Amino acid sequence: GAVVSQHPSWVICKSGTSVKIECRSLDFQATTMFWYRQFPKQSLMLMATSNEGSKATYEQGVEKDKFLINHASLTLSTLTVTSAHPEDSSFYICSAIDSGNYGYTFGSGTRLTVV
Amino acid sequence: DAKTTQPTSMDCAEGRAANLPCNHSTISGNEYVYWYRQIHSQGPQYIIHGLKNNETNEMASLIITEDRKSSTLILPHATLRDTAVYYCIVRVDWKWGGATNKLIFGTGTLLAVQP
């Protein structure tokens, strides 16, 4: 079945630094990927839709200059949290559409802790 | 996309069937019912989806009422590893979603399987 690999699985960074999270589709090509954020005991909140070769589409209230998304190839999308602050600490999850599967396959998530 | 209503939490005894309800009274004719689950600190996992007929796979069964206003996900023999948050999502099939292919999660049902 379709596999989406997300890296790193967890990261701790200092306040003010930037962190990059990678999302790869391992056995299929994904023209569209999605980035979610999840705070403790809450549901997944969609942050943005990442489109290969074009700009990402951000949901209302998500700062595009803070959460930089790059989808440079059909198998890789990256999310960079710039100038991270403790309130950015969260569980970040990516998803990709696999045309040969039931649509949406999710990565295992990245736990970001900003200290 | 139509909105769904699910109970916040449910308990189930190990080995018994777990029946998770979902109300989607505003569902449109071309909208499918999708079920995903999220085990703690992992990415969501696809379970099953259907349009109007009942569906079964190796993980679960999906029963959709004739008027399609509600559905039930059935885990026939729940195990401790089935403890997770279960999300019922209603939307058009991703193949026809076009620019609106994003998947929006509600609050889901926390299923706790008890030994």
Side-chain angles (χ1 to χ4, degrees), chain A residues 42-58:
Chain A
Q42 293 187 22
S43 185
L44 287 80
M45 185 192 77
L46 181 66
M47 300 175 66
T49 301
S50 171
N51 302 297
E52 187 267 336
S54 64
K55 291 182 179 180
T57 304
Y58 290 83

Side-chain angles (χ1 to χ4, degrees), chain A residues 4 6 9 36-38 42-44 91-94 105-111, chain B residues 36-46 80-85 87 105:
Chain A
V4 171
Q6 197 170 333
S9 55
Y36 295 82
R37 180 169 54 181
Q38 185 175 34
Q42 293 187 22
S43 185
L44 287 80
F91 192 51
Y92 292 86
I93 305 167
C94 70
T105 303
F106 289 82
S108 55
T110 297
R111 175 78 57 192
Chain B
Y36 286 81
R37 73 179 182 183
Q38 185 181 25
I39 296 170
H40 183 63
S41 294
Q42 295 183 24
Q45 175 190 23
Y46 166 84
L80 298 178
R81 285 179 289 185
D82 292 321
T83 292
V85 178
Y87 296 97
F105 287 80

Side-chain angles (χ1 to χ4, degrees), chain B residues 48-56 61-66:
Chain B
I48 199 167
H49 76 289
L51 183 62
K52 55 183 178 181
N53 296 322
N54 297 338
E55 302 288 344
T56 296
S61 294
L62 174 61
I63 308 298
I64 303 174
T65 58
E66 194 168 338

Side-chain angles (χ1 to χ4, degrees), chain A residues 43-44, chain B residues 2-10 19-25 33-38 47-48 62 69-75 84-90 104-111:
Chain A
S43 185
L44 287 80
Chain B
K3 184 175 177 173
T4 63
T5 304
Q6 297 178 254
T8 304
S9 63
M10 292 181 63
N19 297 288
L20 292 91
C22 179
N23 287 321
H24 31 79
S25 58
V33 180
Y34 286 84
W35 282 86
Y36 286 81
R37 73 179 182 183
Q38 185 181 25
I47 302 174
I48 199 167
L62 174 61
K69 293 186 177 182
S70 65
S71 60
T72 302
L73 177 74
I74 301 172
L75 307 179
V85 178
Y86 287 77
Y87 296 97
C88 168
I89 301 171
V90 173
I104 305 298
F105 287 80
T107 53
T109 296
L110 173 59
L111 174 68

